[in-house]
């Protein structure tokens, strides 16, 4: 299950006033009936890097991903598809979905060596991706942006079976039919992100681990497209040495040899074996980033995240994420303390291999705070540092946000022509990242308000 994408695209709301200002004085004349948005931008080939951690550490991660659910329940038996894997898109399929799935299937075939293809019209598909309106999905699973279910092939079948044993992953010993449910009215980037994570989990590991810095199998949602680590997990999942019905101990006997063969660069090194986060910390994460409650409640949950992380003795990404949550929650009420917490998050993330995109998320928050404080030069510096990382990570919503922050900072420095050019360039990415014109306008208004605060400050 991919959680609602609150982290990447709503983090700035804590440090901006109500969104009633003009979208942008530099662009409101573009069209009398709308923004006159340019063509949607999209990304080229994915530039993934190989897993960068010791194999002994990756081995533990593989087993934790394979033999545990996100809820903490144990999965007694290994399961996967046998033979070719076919995919079908059904329901109200958005215009970009077929292209995104084609691109993803190509990656599965070339990077993970998996026999994945689109299903023929007359065939039953291994994986059915059904698109439903977000409101209808939210009535059933409120916290999920999208999710994957075994042994069903339609939304109607899932609703009929959702409280029964048929859709219980822990009873699986072989995968034959799996359904993925994705909101049909989501932004193109959210659709792509859902297809990446849920299709990978439909075929492979089912768990998400908050301590993984280099994976989409992490509910912090910082990585949005499948990484080199994720493709390694899928290659291992379909290795001939493993078979349906194996228990964890049986699978564990094969994992070191598989990693030595598939990831020789991971030989040696000092592994940092991490325990799975307790449910109390996961509940605090959900409180800090979930849609319920106000900013005060989110701050309390974020401080609980940090307290638990420190009590656990963590020094990894989970402590960084806890500081990130605290800083994000303090941005509107105590910018100085927010900067301190975010800076500590950035310090930890910079020490973790593969966590560059996490640092970019921190830099985006710091850039927004600097813009609101009238520190235009610092806002530009943070944006310039993050933009190349975000492009490589294919996060269009973050890219557009950073470009808009930089444009406002340039405007405040009297560089109006540069600001207008950058703002226009951002809009193609904003269309992909945010979707509707209304959402693009809201993000532009939010950042324009930050710039106004900086000018008044």
């Amino acid at each position: 299950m991919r959680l609602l994408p609150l982290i990447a695209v709503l983090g700035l709301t804590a440090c901006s006033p109500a969104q009633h200002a003009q979208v942008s004085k530099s662009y409101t004349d573009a069209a009398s009936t709308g923004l006159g948005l340019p063509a949607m931008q999209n990304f080229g080939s994915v530039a993934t890097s190989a897993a960068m951690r010791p194999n002994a550490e990756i081995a533990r991660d593989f087993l934790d991903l394979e033999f545990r659910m996100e809820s903490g329940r144990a999965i007694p038996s290994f399961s996967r598809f046998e033979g070719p894997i076919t995919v079908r898109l059904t329901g109200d399929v958005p215009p970009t979905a077929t292209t995104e799935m084609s691109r993803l299937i190509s990656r599965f075939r070339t990077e993970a060596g998996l026999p994945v293809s689109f299903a023929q019209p007359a065939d039953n598909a291994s994986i059915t991706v059904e698109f439903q309106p977000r409101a209808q999905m939210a009535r059933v699973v409120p916290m999920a942006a999208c999710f994957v279910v075994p042994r069903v092939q339609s939304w109607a079948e899932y609703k009929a079976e959702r409280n029964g044993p048929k859709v219980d992953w822990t009873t699986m010993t072989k995968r034959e039919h799996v359904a993925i449910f994705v909101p049909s009215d989501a932004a193109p980037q959210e659709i792509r992100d859902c297809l990446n994570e849920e299709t990978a989990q439909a075929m492979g590991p089912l768990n998400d681990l908050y301590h993984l810095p280099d994976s989409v199998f992490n509910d912090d949602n910082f990585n949005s497209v499948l990484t080199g680590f994720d493709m390694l997990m899928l290659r291992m999942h379909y290795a001939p040495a493993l078979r349906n019905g194996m228990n964890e101990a049986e699978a564990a006997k094969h994992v070191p040899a598989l990693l030595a063969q598939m990831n020789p660069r991971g030989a040696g090194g000092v592994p940092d074996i991490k325990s799975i986060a307790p449910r109390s910390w996961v509940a605090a994460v959900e409180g800090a980033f979930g849609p319920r409650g106000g900013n005060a409640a989110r701050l309390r949950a974020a401080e609980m995240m940090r307290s638990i992380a420190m009590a656990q003795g963590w020094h990894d990404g989970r402590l960084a994420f806890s500081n990130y949550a605290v800083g994000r929650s303090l941005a509107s009420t105590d910018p100085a303390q927010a900067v301190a917490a975010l800076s500590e998050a950035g310090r930890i993330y910079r020490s973790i291999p593969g966590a560059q995109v996490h640092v970019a998320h921190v830099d985006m928050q710091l850039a927004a705070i600097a813009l609101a404080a009238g520190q235009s030069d610092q806002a530009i510096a943070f944006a310039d540092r993050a933009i190349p990382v975000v492009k490589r990570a294919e996060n269009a919503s973050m890219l557009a946000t950073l470009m808009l922050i930089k444009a406002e900072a340039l405007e405040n420095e009297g560089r109006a022509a540069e600001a207008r050019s950058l703002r226009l360039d951002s809009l193609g990415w904003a269309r992909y990242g945010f979707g509707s014109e209304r959402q693009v306008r809201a993000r532009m208004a939010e950042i324009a308000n930050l710039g106004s605060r900086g000018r008044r400050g």
Side-chain angles (χ1 to χ4, degrees):
M1 179 177 72
R2 186 171 184 85
L3 296 180
L4 290 170
L6 295 173
I7 296 170
V9 299
L10 296 183
L12 297 177
T13 57
C15 53
S16 65
Q19 297 177 11
H20 59 269
Q22 289 292 321
V23 171
S24 168
K25 61 180 179 298
S26 296
Y27 202 66
T28 48
D29 295 331
S32 60
T33 59
L35 284 175
L37 296 179
M40 183 186 298
Q41 290 277 17
N42 51 50
F43 296 96
S45 59
V46 180
T48 59
S49 57
M52 301 169 63
R53 295 180 284 119
N55 280 345
E57 182 179 330
I58 293 173
R60 183 66 262 166
D61 292 338
F62 177 78
L63 294 170
D64 285 340
L65 287 169
E66 293 282 2
F67 290 97
R68 268 155 281 286
M69 297 291 294
E70 292 180 53
S71 64
R73 294 174 66 202
I75 299 174
S77 298
F78 178 84
S79 68
R80 67 186 182 192
F81 291 105
E82 297 288 354
I85 303 167
T86 55
V87 180
R88 172 172 289 118
L89 308 184
T90 66
D92 186 11
V93 181
T96 61
T98 301
T99 299
E100 295 290 3
M101 182 55 80
S102 296
R103 186 179 181 219
L104 185 56
I105 286 174
S106 178
R107 289 194 64 201
F108 286 138
R109 296 178 70 91
T110 58
E111 297 178 46
L114 302 183
V116 186
S117 63
F118 280 111
Q120 295 300 311
D123 295 339
N124 271 329
S126 311
I127 301 171
T128 300
V129 183
E130 182 165 339
F131 292 88
Q132 290 285 333
R134 188 189 297 278
Q136 182 161 300
M137 290 177 58
R139 285 195 288 269
V140 179
V141 185
M143 287 291 290
C146 42
F147 57 98
V148 59
V149 181
R151 298 192 182 103
V152 299
Q153 295 179 279
S154 71
W155 179 252
E157 188 180 2
Y158 167 64
K159 287 198 298 180
E161 301 287 350
R162 70 183 190 216
N163 295 318
K166 183 175 179 178
V167 295
D168 185 351
W169 283 104
T170 67
T171 66
M172 296 280 287
T173 57
K174 180 182 178 181
R175 301 186 199 183
E176 294 178 332
H177 298 294
V178 173
I180 297 169
F181 301 110
V182 180
S184 57
D185 46 356
Q189 177 170 316
E190 185 180 345
I191 290 168
R192 179 208 63 189
D193 294 355
C194 282
L195 293 177
N196 269 254
E197 180 169 351
E198 303 307 333
T199 308
Q201 292 195 309
M203 295 189 295
L206 295 168
N207 197 6
D208 282 315
L209 299 171
Y210 276 105
H211 61 254
L212 296 179
D214 48 2
S215 175
V216 302
F217 301 135
N218 185 331
D219 276 335
D220 66 10
N221 288 353
F222 282 166
N223 285 294
S224 52
V225 295
L226 292 164
T227 67
F229 173 90
D230 299 327
M231 291 299 183
L232 174 61
M233 295 296 97
L234 289 169
R235 289 201 308 275
M236 292 177 64
H237 189 86
Y238 283 88
L242 303 181
R243 66 180 185 276
N244 278 321
M246 276 185 164
N247 62 33
E248 183 173 358
E250 291 169 332
K253 295 175 183 177
H254 299 280
V255 169
L258 290 176
L259 280 167
Q261 174 192 349
M262 296 180 181
N263 191 46
R265 71 180 62 207
V270 179
D272 181 11
I273 307 297
K274 301 176 182 68
S275 60
I276 295 176
R279 291 302 302 171
S280 58
W281 187 81
V282 174
V285 172
E286 292 168 354
F289 292 101
R292 300 186 182 93
N295 198 57
R298 293 192 182 98
L299 176 58
R300 287 193 297 272
E303 289 173 336
M304 178 62 69
M305 284 175 63
R306 187 162 64 178
S307 295
I308 294 171
M310 294 176 70
Q312 291 285 324
W314 293 337
H315 300 284
D316 57 26
R318 291 169 293 185
L319 179 59
F321 190 38
S322 301
N323 276 290
Y324 175 88
V326 171
R328 180 179 178 271
S329 299
L330 285 170
S332 63
T333 57
D334 193 340
Q337 288 299 313
V339 169
L342 290 165
S343 298
E344 178 62 9
R347 183 193 67 78
I348 298 169
Y349 280 137
R350 279 189 289 273
S351 71
I352 300 172
Q356 294 90 339
V357 71
H358 302 65
V359 177
H361 276 264
V362 172
D363 283 345
M364 184 183 75
Q365 300 293 334
L366 291 171
I369 293 171
L371 179 64
Q375 298 170 341
S376 298
D377 56 338
Q378 294 214 16
I380 292 169
F382 285 126
D384 282 343
R385 186 165 70 179
I387 283 172
V389 178
V390 169
K391 282 183 177 177
R392 288 194 297 272
E394 297 203 8
N395 192 322
S397 58
M398 271 189 74
L399 178 58
T401 298
L402 287 160
M403 293 170 77
L404 290 167
I405 289 172
K406 182 178 178 180
E408 286 296 323
L410 289 169
E411 186 102 41
N412 287 357
E413 291 199 338
R415 299 158 66 179
E418 292 176 73
R420 177 177 174 79
S421 176
L422 185 60
R423 196 174 283 116
L424 290 170
D425 287 345
S426 76
L427 294 180
W429 297 112
R431 286 193 63 191
Y432 184 83
F434 300 115
S436 71
E437 179 175 324
R438 179 186 62 80
Q439 291 169 310
V440 173
R441 280 180 173 273
R443 178 43 51 101
M444 293 180 73
E446 185 177 30
I447 295 169
N449 280 329
L450 293 177
S452 298
R453 289 176 63 183
R455 288 190 292 276
R456 291 196 305 268

